[in-house]
Amino acid sequence: MSRPVTLFTGQWADLPLATLAEKVAGWGFDGLELACWGDHFEVDKALEDDGYVTAKRELLESHGLSCVAISSHLVGQCECDPIDERHKSILPDRIWGDGDPEGVRQRAAQEMVDTARAAKLFGVDVVNGFTGSSVWSKLYFFPPTSQEDIDAGYLDFAARWTPIMEAFVEHGVRFGLEVHPTEIAYDIYTARRALEAIDNHPSFGFNFDPSHLVHQFVEPVAFIDEFADRIFHVHVKDVRVQLDGRSSILSSHLDFGDPRRGWDFVSPGRGDVEWDPLIRALNRAGYSGPLSIEWEDSGMDREWGAQEALELVRSIDFAPSASAFDAAFGDDE
Amino acid sequence: MSRPVTLFTGQWADLPLATLAEKVAGWGFDGLELACWGDHFEVDKALEDDGYVTAKRELLESHGLSCVAISSHLVGQCECDPIDERHKSILPDRIWGDGDPEGVRQRAAQEMVDTARAAKLFGVDVVNGFTGSSVWSKLYFFPPTSQEDIDAGYLDFAARWTPIMEAFVEHGVRFGLEVHPTEIAYDIYTARRALEAIDNHPSFGFNFDPSHLVHQFVEPVAFIDEFADRIFHVHVKDVRVQLDGRSSILSSHLDFGDPRRGWDFVSPGRGDVEWDPLIRALNRAGYSGPLSIEWEDSGMDREWGAQEALELVRSIDFAPSASAFDAAFGDDE
Amino acid sequence: MSRPVTLFTGQWADLPLATLAEKVAGWGFDGLELACWGDHFEVDKALEDDGYVTAKRELLESHGLSCVAISSHLVGQCECDPIDERHKSILPDRIWGDGDPEGVRQRAAQEMVDTARAAKLFGVDVVNGFTGSSVWSKLYFFPPTSQEDIDAGYLDFAARWTPIMEAFVEHGVRFGLEVHPTEIAYDIYTARRALEAIDNHPSFGFNFDPSHLVHQFVEPVAFIDEFADRIFHVHVKDVRVQLDGRSSILSSHLDFGDPRRGWDFVSPGRGDVEWDPLIRALNRAGYSGPLSIEWEDSGMDREWGAQEALELVRSIDFAPSASAFDAAFGDDE
Amino acid sequence: MSRPVTLFTGQWADLPLATLAEKVAGWGFDGLELACWGDHFEVDKALEDDGYVTAKRELLESHGLSCVAISSHLVGQCECDPIDERHKSILPDRIWGDGDPEGVRQRAAQEMVDTARAAKLFGVDVVNGFTGSSVWSKLYFFPPTSQEDIDAGYLDFAARWTPIMEAFVEHGVRFGLEVHPTEIAYDIYTARRALEAIDNHPSFGFNFDPSHLVHQFVEPVAFIDEFADRIFHVHVKDVRVQLDGRSSILSSHLDFGDPRRGWDFVSPGRGDVEWDPLIRALNRAGYSGPLSIEWEDSGMDREWGAQEALELVRSIDFAPSASAFDAAFGDDE
Amino acid sequence: MSRPVTLFTGQWADLPLATLAEKVAGWGFDGLELACWGDHFEVDKALEDDGYVTAKRELLESHGLSCVAISSHLVGQCECDPIDERHKSILPDRIWGDGDPEGVRQRAAQEMVDTARAAKLFGVDVVNGFTGSSVWSKLYFFPPTSQEDIDAGYLDFAARWTPIMEAFVEHGVRFGLEVHPTEIAYDIYTARRALEAIDNHPSFGFNFDPSHLVHQFVEPVAFIDEFADRIFHVHVKDVRVQLDGRSSILSSHLDFGDPRRGWDFVSPGRGDVEWDPLIRALNRAGYSGPLSIEWEDSGMDREWGAQEALELVRSIDFAPSASAFDAAFGDDE
Amino acid sequence: MSRPVTLFTGQWADLPLATLAEKVAGWGFDGLELACWGDHFEVDKALEDDGYVTAKRELLESHGLSCVAISSHLVGQCECDPIDERHKSILPDRIWGDGDPEGVRQRAAQEMVDTARAAKLFGVDVVNGFTGSSVWSKLYFFPPTSQEDIDAGYLDFAARWTPIMEAFVEHGVRFGLEVHPTEIAYDIYTARRALEAIDNHPSFGFNFDPSHLVHQFVEPVAFIDEFADRIFHVHVKDVRVQLDGRSSILSSHLDFGDPRRGWDFVSPGRGDVEWDPLIRALNRAGYSGPLSIEWEDSGMDREWGAQEALELVRSIDFAPSASAFDAAFGDDE
């Protein structure tokens, strides 16, 4: 099929975009999904500097690369999260400020609104990201946690994100939440609950990424079929469950890459994601946007990995059938 | 085998102990593991009132019931947890006080020390319970969480619990942590890490409960074999994994009893715990304490359940072989 | 729980009811689900003979047996089926008549109406049975079969059964289709399609029987949850899938009891039905009617089997929890 | 290995053979298995027109394509089936005639004899196809179906196909039944029963196609090993079982391509067929005929699919070992 | 069903038969399968002492116990085995003699003939046992082992056992080989090979014991169906496969009872034997002899175990259906 | 990654090395692991003839092939084995001599010492091979086998191999035992036992080959992690478990290649070895030696196979990540 294959630049932010773009183009990618960190896509500069987005676009075009989505996971995370020191490390100083939690959250909210504006200037209509969650950390209900406690988290989410979504609508940009543990939605039931909380706002949908579902034993295809019209963007990322009776699916507070973990991210094609049914589900959903490789594998050289991932995506991204097969045997007259 | 079968009274604290004891004796139990809440075992009264423990013991004996362990999960939880409103609901006012987190933690610490003293007065040498954890809620490492962050949680645990364990030693009482999500140890690797943090303190061991391991896909037998000499007490409790492609093993912030959850507690014998290998492992470990039924099943009448659980335990608790079988064919001379 | 446990008499129609009732009462059953064949419940006599239903009721009561449902699978089957010689063997002569298919169908339709009337006289408000299907035999779509072909089958069903259901409503009786291969509904999707075809007629629901779902790999619990308010009656019947690489799940035109078949019916508890989740689902659905053992196992003596099945049902039929467990740890104040 | 890889043209009959042959040759196929419908191979013209088979052969050769088998599934199906309107759509008018069932069957029988004659003229010695079955639709034994009923179906098959097979012998042509639900043989046990019914006629064997076995849970390798000397031709076709607790293996009267079905055909390599053991079994059986790709996948563009299927077959079709390995370590002297 | 349930006394040979018989009768067994070691059944005394067998029989009868089979595994093992020191420990001195291998084998052969004679005197017509094997230890073919090497082992077996079987025929006694690793037959294919080697001698059959098949992943039911008319006796014994990624199915030269082994024997009902299908297979085979519990479980007290095993067997040993079920729905006339 | 990919020449010893080297170089291999049989690497000539090793090296270099390890499985096997006729076929006459077992063993021991010397001359520092075992054949403990019996086998191993290892140390050469049934170590527990027996001799380690572990259900990754610093060499070889209820995992004394076996060797990538986790484990272990393809598949042409195996290895041998991923989201400042 002709879906573009892009690389999400988040895990390559240590490289200047110019360097990365050259590599990626050389490997044969169609485009990039730019991260709003490193020098890849800087929201403040895009808004302040008239030539910024043009120069960025020209850099990409000089390598024959497209860009139809940008991503702002780090700032979005700070919207609903209880803020602690770890958030400081993922925010620019201008947003962290004095670190007062509510202040951080409000500056982050403004940044998300600005991101939509910058996206529009840059000519992309999808911003992917995280939302954070005030109730994620209460995922096990001890001390006893009532549904009222949980509802409060969803209300908080709605209160903070509805105004942001309103700004998105205004700019004609949509937000794709990457459904993911630590976020307001991390599986099918919480995605439904989040949508209901935000009153099915038309700008709010999903950056579908199967790697966050499989280790929860959630079937990615079921997610796509359930939210077919809310799939705004797609990440190609893989995960392997490696349970041996000693490892825990909760991963034992061990680092990614530690073989004692119960699951870990791996290069696409080397994990438990079943790609063929997933492509069929995207075809059914009518999704025609990019297949964006978010490459993360603590045990593999990333340049080897990005290239094998591209090859995988090319081999799995087939077009749906042009016509039903019921005509197969009936063509004789 | 002759291990006593007891009922943990935590889930029956709405009943006065006198009422409960009569029922439980009638069903054929050997004894009770008293919870330190409701009127079952009140630490403050035990220490203040000279006749309290004697009267309590006589009540039990009048029904032919033993008691060799008491449990203080609720207070223990407040030791290391970040304190929030939910903790208020599980603490007596005298410990909650003004709710200032550090104050709560320190009063809880004192209560644990008092609990050891009360246990000794009452004549039991095992106190089961929880520890809480300052890092549990960071179980998914986003925002990025370093091993230094996690180490800090274990240091906090060691700093708070070492003095308590010292008091336990003094009274000849041991503490059995119920390894459980939300606690400092919730699987094999974290149990090892907790033991190392607390320098393998001789008073610190485990209240083994398989129901918190199976939904993590941790093999209960592996836990027993790994920590054979630290199994201070045993809970008989069961859990069922009910994954169907839509449910998440993280349980979607849904209440216990909601069929959309990925796992749930069920009456012993109706879940995924394999009891036969578990009994063999306890036999290998030389564990001769009680098998204490902690009955919890949101879908079953608890009185029916307690009785079928007792019947299950009687049928599975066999003695080890008196002699090796290598003599089997060789007795002919 | 206090759901009555009954025996469906269909597979015992070679015994006079008087003989059977004595046996069954002796085994400890609570009641019978009478088949409308043999001398168990004769619709024509019930309508013609004023004393028939009274005498029948007295016979049951003399053995302490209840009856709250009757079953008319054989006549119902002839409603929508293409009629062939095999149908002659399951019908009384007065319905078969000259065997002209449409005549048979119409006489069968009248008999179903009469059955509702007789049921009312007898004091039962559920009639279980089959519907037949004009499209079942086209389950594999070769020669090419269009959805229009299939739709025609559902229209035929609606045309024939709507008038019957109207008569049922009039008598305050409900019809429980036993969802089953060869019927208009045999799984979740076809049950939904049948309900839609008949415009969700309030008299039309299901006699839930897991044994017809499991060999199709349909999860019985999913069926109950989907149609909770349409579960009018429940059959306890079990089935085992016995695939070995040579056997076919389609069963190779081999008789029941032939070990080369890919699946077969077995005595409850010896097959692949998981009873515990099923009881929980019935509890959720609020079903309080009988658990009626339809005993069928080609490899076991039926009297042994009926008794072990009764013992099984008594052990699995627990009551739901009286109260939620969220109060478990929170009772301390 | 040097087995030719061919494409079965049945699902491409909407394309003129000239168009198809050019495409297929361009993709690298070795040859075609011509369907006896569309303009691919017309039996009546082959017998009437002296130049027909020569022209057809020349067309193929101009593209470097071989043809060693032709297929007549549609006409064969009408031999034993109860004839209904669906059969009209798969037959030419000259065979359907007035649609009187017995007349249709007899004209179809004559056409099969003619097909053998035409095959010989064309220089191929295998005709693949279907047989139909008068008992297939009775695959579930309700209303009660005796083995006598089933035996009657096999007798009917023998009576109708023995004369056809006699004609095949006369022309030195063999018939390969594609074992398939809806046919007289659809698994191992029914294939054996069919062979016995027709007295192991030497012209009667199988067009082995694993895609019809796997969703029945029949092991394809077991089929090959059982009927090694009756494998006259091989189809490469794949199937995926997609059971999720709601879907039925009987497929719920849903169209191919509907994701709610319990199984569906997919492009070779994307389903549940295990190709490596299958190739080994064919090597053991000494099969050296074509591997003919019958491409059918309702969710994929067929031109993409045919090419990836060809690539798959080239990668799996290895030669057997030239010599046993017992010499491996013993060559030292 | 009325099959007698017996206890094989081999693992209880440390107890005098008088002691054992009293216990076993008290537990409710129907009889004993006497081992030819300890004082349970002494072949030499039975032949020398006129009153021996009568006294033995009277002892059993005084406890209401039957005996229809005796077992001579230890002597039989020495028939074909390469003899080493371990064999000395399982033989009486009179057979071991000077330990010269061929002499041991010949004295063992004579003892087997005498055993048949003694069995007849005692009134039993089945002797169970082992055969040994000269090729068992070559089960992995390195150094390279040819089929000629293996054939030599079967020829040796035939040469040694044919004369013994001739003596059995003469006395009207049959030999039931317990198919078992270390014996000439240990699975389906080697059982067939052994039968062919000994020319299907009518006195040679099997003491079916599923516990030796399951850890080889051989399906016990397949064995019974394959050799239905050669099932001379049945052992009820269970085995558990306990693979965890570190344990080996070859068991690592670790003792029975060591939890690191890949499999181990366990009390019946606690392992991987599926008893229901096995009973059905025995019913099909028409086996009406004893179900003899060979109790062996290194982790359980044997007296507890023997009693629970008896209870299991009583619950599983159902009679076959008296009549086919095809009459089920057809009884209406 | 840049690990060299070599071919082990043992299964190609029927070809002169000159012929083989040309082929293998043409296929793209980096080097060879020479077998010490055929004309590939002759220890006696290497020591006797000054020019031998130079000529051998030049031959390899003329084809651009490296050699960093040689293998001496056949001679090593005779060290601890009970010697029988099969060993004659794998030994040169000069070692077999008169076949007296102890003499054979001692001449084999000398040959191993010489092999180390020859290896050094040739410039390789790893010799792979077997050890044989005096207790392997007692893998099933009947007749009863005590741990003392088994210990004796490990003592025998230590006594025979310690002097050989001393000689290896002297020459700076290491010995890699291919852990394998029939050897002193064949799984994790026996490998540990062997290491302990030989006092963790620094010259004694392993030629890791997963194909001998998987059919024992031992996880290859667990082996690597357990003995990370003892992995001296790696064989790429695959195995498939093919259990169907009739086949035995012990393989029924059937030849390799017989489809009735429970497992068999297959070309790499076509079996049950999971290569991706294995490569990750080797990366963790820091193994940087060759990946040496030991090609053995009784059902495939070996030249086809060697080439597809090479392609597999090239696709799986990725480098580890240069840096941890915890920096992934944190690069923003």
Side-chain angles (χ1 to χ4, degrees), chain A residues 9-22:
Chain A
T9 70
Q11 281 86 349
W12 309 73
D14 56 313
L15 299 181
L17 183 58
T19 307
L20 181 60
E22 182 170 2

PDB file of all heavy atoms in Angstrom, chain A residues 9-22:
ATOM      1  N   THR A   9      11.120  10.673  15.751  1.00  0.00           N
ATOM      2  CA  THR A   9      12.486  11.085  16.082  1.00  0.00           C
ATOM      3  C   THR A   9      12.764  11.158  17.589  1.00  0.00           C
ATOM      4  O   THR A   9      13.883  11.494  18.000  1.00  0.00           O
ATOM      5  CB  THR A   9      12.818  12.461  15.458  1.00  0.00           C
ATOM      6  OG1 THR A   9      12.063  13.475  16.141  1.00  0.00           O
ATOM      7  CG2 THR A   9      12.525  12.497  13.974  1.00  0.00           C
ATOM      8  N   GLY A  10      11.752  10.842  18.401  1.00  0.00           N
ATOM      9  CA  GLY A  10      11.913  11.003  19.855  1.00  0.00           C
ATOM     10  C   GLY A  10      13.129  10.308  20.439  1.00  0.00           C
ATOM     11  O   GLY A  10      13.817  10.838  21.324  1.00  0.00           O
ATOM     12  N   GLN A  11      13.416   9.101  19.967  1.00  0.00           N
ATOM     13  CA  GLN A  11      14.534   8.345  20.537  1.00  0.00           C
ATOM     14  C   GLN A  11      15.869   8.688  19.861  1.00  0.00           C
ATOM     15  O   GLN A  11      16.875   8.039  20.121  1.00  0.00           O
ATOM     16  CB  GLN A  11      14.269   6.830  20.422  1.00  0.00           C
ATOM     17  CG  GLN A  11      13.331   6.301  21.482  1.00  0.00           C
ATOM     18  CD  GLN A  11      11.868   6.430  21.095  1.00  0.00           C
ATOM     19  OE1 GLN A  11      11.534   7.101  20.124  1.00  0.00           O
ATOM     20  NE2 GLN A  11      11.000   5.803  21.854  1.00  0.00           N
ATOM     21  N   TRP A  12      15.854   9.687  18.993  1.00  0.00           N
ATOM     22  CA  TRP A  12      17.065  10.090  18.279  1.00  0.00           C
ATOM     23  C   TRP A  12      17.374  11.560  18.531  1.00  0.00           C
ATOM     24  O   TRP A  12      18.132  12.186  17.761  1.00  0.00           O
ATOM     25  CB  TRP A  12      16.891   9.853  16.767  1.00  0.00           C
ATOM     26  CG  TRP A  12      16.417   8.487  16.403  1.00  0.00           C
ATOM     27  CD1 TRP A  12      15.153   7.992  16.576  1.00  0.00           C
ATOM     28  CD2 TRP A  12      17.188   7.408  15.840  1.00  0.00           C
ATOM     29  NE1 TRP A  12      15.086   6.680  16.136  1.00  0.00           N
ATOM     30  CE2 TRP A  12      16.320   6.299  15.673  1.00  0.00           C
ATOM     31  CE3 TRP A  12      18.528   7.277  15.439  1.00  0.00           C
ATOM     32  CZ2 TRP A  12      16.739   5.080  15.147  1.00  0.00           C
ATOM     33  CZ3 TRP A  12      18.945   6.072  14.891  1.00  0.00           C
ATOM     34  CH2 TRP A  12      18.062   4.983  14.764  1.00  0.00           C
ATOM     35  N   ALA A  13      16.812  12.106  19.606  1.00  0.00           N
ATOM     36  CA  ALA A  13      16.914  13.547  19.834  1.00  0.00           C
ATOM     37  C   ALA A  13      18.323  13.972  20.216  1.00  0.00           C
ATOM     38  O   ALA A  13      18.636  15.165  20.274  1.00  0.00           O
ATOM     39  CB  ALA A  13      15.907  13.977  20.899  1.00  0.00           C
ATOM     40  N   ASP A  14      19.199  13.007  20.470  1.00  0.00           N
ATOM     41  CA  ASP A  14      20.600  13.353  20.706  1.00  0.00           C
ATOM     42  C   ASP A  14      21.301  13.740  19.398  1.00  0.00           C
ATOM     43  O   ASP A  14      22.393  14.301  19.431  1.00  0.00           O
ATOM     44  CB  ASP A  14      21.319  12.171  21.354  1.00  0.00           C
ATOM     45  CG  ASP A  14      21.206  10.896  20.526  1.00  0.00           C
ATOM     46  OD1 ASP A  14      20.064  10.578  20.090  1.00  0.00           O
ATOM     47  OD2 ASP A  14      22.215  10.227  20.297  1.00  0.00           O
ATOM     48  N   LEU A  15      20.691  13.424  18.281  1.00  0.00           N
ATOM     49  CA  LEU A  15      21.269  13.804  16.986  1.00  0.00           C
ATOM     50  C   LEU A  15      20.596  15.068  16.474  1.00  0.00           C
ATOM     51  O   LEU A  15      19.363  15.195  16.561  1.00  0.00           O
ATOM     52  CB  LEU A  15      21.046  12.695  15.945  1.00  0.00           C
ATOM     53  CG  LEU A  15      21.666  11.336  16.233  1.00  0.00           C
ATOM     54  CD1 LEU A  15      21.357  10.382  15.070  1.00  0.00           C
ATOM     55  CD2 LEU A  15      23.167  11.457  16.443  1.00  0.00           C
ATOM     56  N   PRO A  16      21.370  15.985  15.898  1.00  0.00           N
ATOM     57  CA  PRO A  16      20.740  17.133  15.259  1.00  0.00           C
ATOM     58  C   PRO A  16      19.853  16.637  14.125  1.00  0.00           C
ATOM     59  O   PRO A  16      20.167  15.617  13.478  1.00  0.00           O
ATOM     60  CB  PRO A  16      21.923  17.934  14.702  1.00  0.00           C
ATOM     61  CG  PRO A  16      23.120  17.429  15.432  1.00  0.00           C
ATOM     62  CD  PRO A  16      22.836  16.020  15.820  1.00  0.00           C
ATOM     63  N   LEU A  17      18.794  17.337  13.901  1.00  0.00           N
ATOM     64  CA  LEU A  17      17.852  16.884  12.880  1.00  0.00           C
ATOM     65  C   LEU A  17      18.532  16.748  11.520  1.00  0.00           C
ATOM     66  O   LEU A  17      18.234  15.817  10.757  1.00  0.00           O
ATOM     67  CB  LEU A  17      16.670  17.859  12.789  1.00  0.00           C
ATOM     68  CG  LEU A  17      15.582  17.434  11.808  1.00  0.00           C
ATOM     69  CD1 LEU A  17      15.011  16.069  12.154  1.00  0.00           C
ATOM     70  CD2 LEU A  17      14.469  18.474  11.770  1.00  0.00           C
ATOM     71  N   ALA A  18      19.449  17.651  11.231  1.00  0.00           N
ATOM     72  CA  ALA A  18      20.115  17.605   9.919  1.00  0.00           C
ATOM     73  C   ALA A  18      20.850  16.272   9.743  1.00  0.00           C
ATOM     74  O   ALA A  18      20.798  15.639   8.690  1.00  0.00           O
ATOM     75  CB  ALA A  18      21.080  18.770   9.784  1.00  0.00           C
ATOM     76  N   THR A  19      21.531  15.861  10.771  1.00  0.00           N
ATOM     77  CA  THR A  19      22.251  14.580  10.728  1.00  0.00           C
ATOM     78  C   THR A  19      21.282  13.418  10.574  1.00  0.00           C
ATOM     79  O   THR A  19      21.464  12.508   9.762  1.00  0.00           O
ATOM     80  CB  THR A  19      23.036  14.390  12.049  1.00  0.00           C
ATOM     81  OG1 THR A  19      23.828  15.547  12.267  1.00  0.00           O
ATOM     82  CG2 THR A  19      23.898  13.145  12.000  1.00  0.00           C
ATOM     83  N   LEU A  20      20.247  13.458  11.405  1.00  0.00           N
ATOM     84  CA  LEU A  20      19.286  12.362  11.401  1.00  0.00           C
ATOM     85  C   LEU A  20      18.567  12.253  10.061  1.00  0.00           C
ATOM     86  O   LEU A  20      18.393  11.160   9.513  1.00  0.00           O
ATOM     87  CB  LEU A  20      18.270  12.580  12.531  1.00  0.00           C
ATOM     88  CG  LEU A  20      17.202  11.509  12.671  1.00  0.00           C
ATOM     89  CD1 LEU A  20      17.816  10.141  12.955  1.00  0.00           C
ATOM     90  CD2 LEU A  20      16.217  11.876  13.780  1.00  0.00           C
ATOM     91  N   ALA A  21      18.172  13.399   9.529  1.00  0.00           N
ATOM     92  CA  ALA A  21      17.407  13.381   8.280  1.00  0.00           C
ATOM     93  C   ALA A  21      18.223  12.740   7.163  1.00  0.00           C
ATOM     94  O   ALA A  21      17.697  11.963   6.361  1.00  0.00           O
ATOM     95  CB  ALA A  21      16.996  14.805   7.898  1.00  0.00           C
ATOM     96  N   GLU A  22      19.488  13.024   7.152  1.00  0.00           N
ATOM     97  CA  GLU A  22      20.319  12.451   6.093  1.00  0.00           C
ATOM     98  C   GLU A  22      20.382  10.918   6.205  1.00  0.00           C
ATOM     99  O   GLU A  22      20.235  10.195   5.221  1.00  0.00           O
ATOM    100  CB  GLU A  22      21.726  13.043   6.168  1.00  0.00           C
ATOM    101  CG  GLU A  22      22.613  12.523   5.059  1.00  0.00           C
ATOM    102  CD  GLU A  22      23.940  13.278   4.984  1.00  0.00           C
ATOM    103  OE1 GLU A  22      24.148  14.178   5.841  1.00  0.00           O
ATOM    104  OE2 GLU A  22      24.743  12.973   4.090  1.00  0.00           O
TER     105      GLU A  22
END
